[in-house]
Amino acid sequence: MKNCVLDGISPFPQKVWLSSPTMHGDEQKWVDEAIRTNWVSTVGANLNEVERLCAEKIGRRYAVALSAGTAALHLAVKLAAERLYGQPKVGHGALEGKKVFCSDMTFDATVNPVAYEGGEAVFIDTEYDTWNMDPAALEKAFELYPDVKLVVVAHLYGTPGKADELRAVCDRHGALIVEDAAESFGAAYKGVQTGMFGDVSVISFNGNKIITGSSGGMLLTDCEADANRARKWSTQSRENAAWYQHEELGYNYRMSNIIGGVVRGQLPYLDAHIAQKKAIYERYKKGFEGLPVTMNPYDEANSEPNFWLSCLLIGPEAMAPQERGEKTALYVSEPGKSSPTEILEAIAAINAEGRPIWKPMHMQPIYRMHGFVTKNGSGRANSNAYIAGGDTGDVGADIFARGLCLPSDNKMTPEQQDLIIEVIRRCFR
Ligand SMILES: *Cc1c(COP(=O)(O)O)cnc(C)c1O
């Protein structure tokens, strides 16, 4: 880190988080009511109400409240897989022997459910415009793997992907979409809420998301039969009989009415949180004027992100050397340049939490043997290498190398944010 970075700046007494829960008080009321009325299990007024409110907000016919976004993704993938390939024998996955196209630059919970069902994820590269799945790379993937019928798409950091283009490619190839809107609840693309684009879609109420239930997730669909199956699977697939009767595999994935109370208390604050996050994004953008960096981009004409996380991308010409191994990173400090590793170290030194860009799935040890398709076709460029000014053909690896997530907590004060901006500015001295 450069000597000047911390001159005269002292660390925040309390950590400024990347994104932490923000309670308002109403949560307590609904949790208390669940306890007072003894509806503390997986049935109750809070669940009914959060399902109704989420379906209404997004515009979906049905919402099923589940224990986590990951659980919702698992059931969403299972619903889509069974619609495509039929119900598997007990002990077998619904995707055995099948390949599934998946977003590459995302959190691994997006893609793990494919493996839970025995399928093989093939990763589709990212585009620079929105940092989401590249429709051109998806088209290429269907040329290379014409049998694929399922695509799992995420909207990263609350920025909608090019949903209509991705949908058009999938329709041309007769493929279904599972939409991971875990990070993008409240974001819209061409006036349509994310959560509307998938055949089955998912949002999350994890503690770090735009609103939270402390945990929890929601499966969204317009198909009544799918909603009913997901609800039944989530409560151990009990048949309608006096005794425990089971015809298919079950899961314990239902949201509890207590968690439902937290979500119910948070829902009225979704728009307020989005406004706060947007102000944070705009303040960073203005604060970085004149630096060789850009913010995580979005389609300003067509999309309204929820601005869950603010990120920055260092221009190729301003990248100082940085090498990442599997678990550690090294960098060289150079005048006029910086690197994500240097910036993250600098903001950590003032007690603020940033994070590298979500490391692309095709670079992860668990998935790096899997297929990976860029807009130029199949292939894996050297994923750790950053080639100055050059197009490696691997957009995800490039954004991972040059980008980082900034402290984006909605409780961060403008003064704290200004100090973070100042520290980052000094990294480029
Ligand atoms: C958080 C997240 C999930 C998982 O949601 P949980 O509620 O934590 O299980 C899935 N996908 C993405 C993109 C996420 O950010």
Side-chain angles (χ1 to χ4, degrees):
M1 204 194 324
K2 296 173 179 80
N3 287 330
C4 62
V5 166
L6 296 176
D7 280 354
I9 295 180
S10 40
F12 303 125
Q14 297 221 310
K15 188 160 180 168
V16 173
W17 299 98
L18 186 73
S19 181
S20 71
T22 305
M23 294 290 117
H24 297 277
D26 301 2
E27 301 86 355
Q28 186 78 61
K29 183 176 82 181
W30 297 119
V31 169
D32 285 352
E33 175 153 306
I35 293 170
R36 189 177 55 75
T37 57
N38 212 46
W39 289 95
V40 296
S41 186
T42 51
V43 179
N46 289 333
L47 291 182
N48 297 341
E49 194 57 11
V50 296
E51 287 184 346
R52 189 184 70 76
L53 289 168
C54 288
E56 184 183 276
K57 165 75 190 168
I58 291 168
R60 280 290 196 183
R61 283 215 191 96
Y62 304 98
V64 181
L66 299 169
S67 57
T70 308
L73 278 159
H74 185 188
L75 298 190
V77 162
K78 199 170 143 79
L79 281 171
E82 292 200 7
R83 200 188 293 176
L84 290 165
Y85 305 118
Q87 199 173 0
K89 284 208 238 43
V90 173
H92 291 263
L95 285 169
E96 272 177 30
K98 308 294 181 191
K99 290 186 168 61
V100 176
F101 296 148
C102 295
S103 286
D104 178 57
M105 201 170 83
T106 184
F107 186 58
D108 74 339
T110 306
V111 308
N112 287 344
V114 170
Y116 299 166
E117 290 300 322
E120 184 186 330
V122 171
F123 301 109
I124 309 299
D125 200 12
T126 308
E127 39 90 1
Y128 286 109
D129 295 347
T130 74
W131 293 10
N132 284 302
M133 186 186 282
D134 183 349
L138 181 62
E139 183 65 61
K140 201 90 201 163
F142 278 110
E143 282 170 30
L144 295 162
Y145 305 91
D147 295 337
V148 170
K149 292 287 170 226
L150 180 59
V151 181
V152 184
V153 184
H155 305 283
L156 201 72
Y157 302 140
T159 301
K162 294 176 175 170
D164 53 354
E165 289 181 45
L166 294 168
R167 169 54 80 183
V169 174
C170 289
D171 284 352
R172 260 203 305 285
H173 297 279
L176 299 179
I177 296 180
V178 167
E179 179 191 21
D180 180 357
E183 299 178 0
S184 66
F185 185 29
Y189 184 71
K190 298 190 174 169
V192 178
Q193 289 282 306
T194 61
M196 280 297 287
F197 297 104
D199 293 277
V200 196
S201 302
V202 162
I203 56 175
S204 164
F205 303 113
N206 183 296
N208 66 0
K209 299 300 198 286
I210 190 109
I211 63 162
T212 183
S214 75
S215 64
M218 193 77 74
L219 180 144
L220 303 149
T221 174
D222 292 331
C223 171
E224 184 175 18
D226 277 359
N228 288 339
R229 288 193 90 192
R231 200 169 275 123
K232 177 184 166 193
W233 287 343
S234 77
T235 49
Q236 305 287 16
S237 292
R238 291 185 306 227
E239 298 298 330
N240 189 10
W243 45 84
Y244 288 138
Q245 175 84 1
H246 302 284
E247 293 175 7
E248 52 184 349
L249 207 57
Y251 303 85
N252 184 5
Y253 279 176
R254 188 72 167 141
M255 182 184 281
S256 106
N257 195 49
I258 291 191
I259 300 294
V262 183
V263 176
R264 189 176 180 182
Q266 286 264 290
L267 279 168
Y269 296 92
L270 174 60
D271 289 342
H273 287 192
I274 294 173
Q276 290 161 348
K277 297 273 192 179
K278 183 172 185 178
I280 289 167
Y281 179 96
E282 299 293 347
R283 196 173 190 89
Y284 275 128
K285 190 167 185 169
K286 194 149 188 348
F288 294 146
E289 271 171 17
L291 289 186
V293 304
T294 49
M295 297 292 292
N296 46 329
Y298 64 99
D299 177 350
E300 292 183 32
N302 292 311
S303 102
E304 295 164 62
N306 70 8
F307 299 95
W308 175 56
L309 290 189
S310 288
C311 305
L312 74 71
L313 187 68
I314 300 174
E317 72 290 355
M319 269 292 287
Q322 163 189 265
E323 285 294 333
R324 285 181 172 140
E326 286 303 340
K327 294 181 180 168
T328 55
L330 294 171
Y331 68 91
V332 179
S333 210
E334 286 188 356
K337 298 182 173 186
S338 194
S339 63
T341 306
E342 181 175 54
I343 292 172
L344 288 168
E345 191 178 295
I347 60 181
I350 61 163
N351 205 18
E353 183 188 33
R355 189 163 293 172
I357 295 298
W358 293 187
K359 183 172 175 173
M361 291 301 117
H362 78 278
M363 299 167 71
Q364 298 285 357
I366 183 176
Y367 286 126
R368 68 181 153 210
M369 320 70 76
H370 288 225
F372 171 59
V373 183
T374 71
K375 64 178 182 300
N376 305 327
S378 182
R380 9 190 82 244
N382 180 353
S383 293
N384 280 315
Y386 163 71
I387 301 171
D391 182 0
T392 62
D394 182 340
V395 176
D398 182 40
I399 295 174
F400 177 61
R402 295 193 284 124
L404 67 128
C405 305
L406 297 159
S408 305
D409 198 66
N410 51 348
K411 296 170 294 308
M412 172 172 64
T413 65
E415 294 72 27
Q416 289 173 321
Q417 195 181 346
D418 286 344
L419 217 55
I420 292 164
I421 290 167
E422 174 59 22
V423 163
I424 293 172
R425 294 195 74 88
R426 291 184 189 185
C427 287
F428 287 93
R429 278 198 196 158

